[in-house]
């Protein structure tokens, strides 16, 4: 599965010697810890949903390398436009896990982004974050900022007008963008062969006049190295890049889905042999950077972080109905004021 895509770590965990990125031992361990934390936090969310403590949830299982590897290449001045399957991206950037959980518990307060963190809210309307990312990059270009805007999306988004409009604009104006498509081969139940007749997602970039490259999305080093290069190119005026992370969605689309109704068991089994975390673990062990004690330590740290985040999220008061009116615009319009008063009168008549 490797010839037509960029790979550094082979499936047996061995690295191509001429391609290894310059990462310190502690950064390599950090990458692993971030992937392991992402997985643990993801599995916890699934359990919370099954226990009725969380709403519908979109799991990231199998996407840890493309999320963490790519996000690890970002600098604080870059802007990030994620979608609904981006837990590892948020975790890598230091977004509070409590907020992520809150959002999926149905509390929009969770998407209150801490000051200084250049990450946008989770985008659920498929592809809608792409024009935002290009607009942001245009602004950076006007201001001559040494920064890039990165957008994440699934291959299903490439059928949207938003994808084509955004990438066309990016190509024409050479905006400092990096587009990272997680091609996990399914958009809910639609397989990629029904999504597009193109052989790869990466080749779509040619029509917009810039480079597209297909990477092994289960190879954290490949994702890091390619994103780093694309970000540097974008920041230095070289224009946009499309990176296709070829991967597989190991879980259901969301907790409302049952993927066994449209995917063959064997296909899922085959992909479970290509687990991104196990592959990286073999690599680290060979380098003397992983052992059982290290694993136990990071699992304990992840567990503590997760337990704290769950407790904090569950202790957060639920949103108030009036928040819908208050937070729509910076200043409320007369019409919204009128509606808020009407709501107040209604709640007085029929208290909660
Ligand atoms: C504009 C729009 N149309 C439809 C939906 C319903 N929907 C939610 S996720 C999804 C599939 C997305 O697939 P993909 O972009 O490949 O991302 P993945 O879920 O595989 O990560 C659809 C159709 C939506 N959220 N927004």
């Amino acid at each position: 599965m490797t010839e037509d895509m960029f790979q550094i770590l082979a499936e047996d965990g061995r690295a191509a010697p001429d391609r290894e990125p310059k990462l310190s031992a502690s950064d390599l361990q950090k990458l692993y810890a971030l992937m392991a934390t992402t997985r643990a936090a993801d599995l916890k969310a699934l359990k919370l949903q099954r226990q009725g403590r969380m709403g519908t949830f979109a799991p990231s299982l199998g996407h840890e390398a493309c999320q963490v590897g790519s996000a690890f290449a970002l600098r604080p001045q870059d802007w990030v436009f994620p979608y609904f399957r981006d837990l590892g991206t948020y975790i890598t950037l230091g977004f509070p896990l409590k907020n992520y959980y809150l959002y999926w518990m149905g509390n929009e307060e969770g998407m209150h982004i801490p000051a200084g963190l250049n990450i946008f809210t989770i985008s659920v309307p498929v592809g809608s974050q792409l024009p935002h990312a290009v607009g942001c990059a245009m602004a950076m270009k006007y201001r001559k900022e040494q920064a890039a805007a990165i957008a994440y999306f699934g291959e299903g988004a490439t059928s949207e007008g938003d994808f084509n409009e955004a990438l066309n604009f990016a190509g024409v104006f050479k905006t400092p963008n990096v587009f990272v498509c997680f091609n996990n081969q399914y958009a809910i139940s639609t397989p990629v062969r029904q999504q597009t007749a193109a052989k790869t997602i990466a080749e779509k970039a040619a029509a917009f006049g810039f480079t597209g490259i297909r990477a092994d999305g289960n190879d954290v080093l490949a994702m890091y190295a390619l994103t780093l290069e694309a970000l540097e190119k974008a920041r230095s005026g070289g224009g946009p890049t499309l990176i296709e992370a070829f991967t597989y969605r190991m879980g259901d689309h969301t907790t409302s889905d049952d993927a066994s109704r449209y995917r063959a068991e064997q296909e899922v089994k085959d992909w479970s042999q290509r687990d991104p975390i196990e592959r990286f673990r073999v690599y680290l062990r060979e380098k003397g950077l992983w052992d059982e004690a290290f694993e136990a330590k990071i699992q304990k740290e992840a567990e503590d972080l997760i337990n704290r985040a769950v407790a904090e999220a569950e202790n957060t008061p639920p949103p108030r109905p009036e928040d819908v009116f208050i937070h729509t615009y910076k200043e409320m319009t007369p019409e919204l004021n009128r509606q808020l008063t009407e709501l107040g009168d209604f709640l007085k008549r029929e208290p909660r």
Side-chain angles (χ1 to χ4, degrees):
M1 76 173 234
T2 55
E3 288 122 54
D4 59 347
M5 59 185 162
F6 182 82
Q7 190 185 59
I8 294 178
L9 277 186
E11 279 167 42
D12 62 5
R14 250 176 290 172
D18 52 331
R19 287 186 177 173
E20 277 181 275
K22 288 189 195 78
L23 282 168
S24 65
S26 82
D27 273 349
L28 289 170
Q29 287 182 321
K30 222 182 269 173
L31 272 177
Y32 182 84
L34 286 165
M35 289 206 288
T37 305
T38 300
R39 176 149 312 170
D42 193 61
L43 294 176
K44 180 67 179 185
L46 211 56
K47 282 192 199 137
L48 292 171
Q49 196 279 337
R50 296 302 188 223
Q51 291 166 358
R53 294 158 71 189
M54 186 172 277
T56 303
F57 177 71
S60 282
L61 189 66
H63 289 49
E64 296 86 356
C66 44
Q67 295 172 350
V68 171
S70 162
F72 202 72
L74 288 159
R75 289 200 199 137
Q77 70 267 31
D78 298 323
W79 276 92
V80 186
F81 294 81
Y83 80 125
F84 50 80
R85 205 181 306 284
D86 257 319
L87 173 57
T89 311
Y90 279 100
I91 286 183
T92 303
L93 293 169
F95 185 76
L97 184 58
K98 166 203 158 185
N99 286 43
Y100 196 83
Y101 283 163
L102 257 187
Y103 170 82
W104 291 100
M105 287 172 178
N107 190 336
E108 289 289 335
E109 276 296 312
M111 283 295 120
H112 193 99
I113 311 291
L117 212 51
N118 290 356
I119 187 162
F120 260 64
T121 50
I122 290 176
S123 176
V124 172
V126 171
S128 57
Q129 70 279 28
L130 295 169
H132 300 164
V134 175
C136 173
M138 278 292 277
M140 287 168 168
K141 197 175 159 147
Y142 276 124
R143 291 174 175 180
K144 301 196 186 336
E145 285 175 13
Q146 292 281 307
I150 192 165
Y152 295 95
F153 51 100
E155 82 290 348
T158 66
S159 297
E160 292 285 353
D162 277 346
F163 168 84
N164 292 281
E165 289 151 22
L167 272 73
N168 187 57
F169 213 88
V172 171
F173 292 97
K174 282 190 114 192
T175 54
N177 278 114
V178 179
F179 302 103
V180 181
C181 176
F182 299 159
N183 178 4
N184 61 22
Q185 306 180 61
Y186 287 88
I188 315 185
S189 55
T190 303
V192 65
R193 66 174 185 283
Q194 282 174 14
Q195 196 67 250
T196 177
K199 259 174 47 203
T200 69
I201 300 296
E203 72 188 31
K204 287 175 182 273
F208 303 113
F210 55 87
T211 303
I213 181 155
R214 183 180 242 211
D216 182 341
N218 287 13
D219 172 354
V220 67
L221 295 185
M223 286 307 298
Y224 170 75
L226 281 184
T227 311
L228 188 74
E229 197 181 317
L231 285 169
E232 277 167 7
K233 179 178 122 187
R235 291 186 203 113
S236 56
T241 306
L242 170 63
I243 298 172
E244 172 188 1
F246 187 65
T247 184
Y248 194 78
R249 195 192 74 216
M250 291 306 298
D252 294 323
H253 170 71
T254 64
T255 45
S256 307
D257 175 44
D258 175 6
S260 69
R261 294 176 63 171
Y262 54 83
R263 296 198 308 200
E265 213 177 301
Q266 192 56 46
E267 185 181 275
V268 183
K269 263 198 197 137
D270 289 348
W271 275 91
S272 69
Q273 300 302 309
R274 300 169 183 166
D275 186 83
I277 298 183
E278 280 171 29
R279 189 189 304 189
F280 195 45
R281 185 186 304 142
V282 173
Y283 170 78
L284 291 184
R285 197 178 52 210
E286 289 300 305
K287 279 188 166 304
L289 296 175
W290 181 95
D291 59 18
E292 296 288 349
F294 172 67
E295 184 72 36
K297 177 177 162 280
I298 60 165
Q299 290 298 343
K300 173 80 177 73
E301 283 169 3
E303 198 186 315
D304 290 348
L305 177 94
I306 291 163
N307 288 341
R308 239 187 352 261
V310 173
E312 286 171 4
E314 290 190 327
N315 284 327
T316 302
R320 303 164 311 159
E322 44 271 44
D323 290 343
V324 175
F325 303 96
I326 293 168
H327 296 306
T328 304
Y329 298 103
K330 190 169 178 218
E331 280 168 31
M332 277 172 59
T333 61
E335 174 57 18
L336 282 179
N337 261 317
R338 191 195 62 72
Q339 290 178 16
L340 180 63
T341 309
E342 193 179 322
L343 174 76
D345 292 344
F346 172 79
L347 291 175
K348 263 185 240 149
R349 280 199 310 273
E350 299 194 26
R352 274 168 268 176

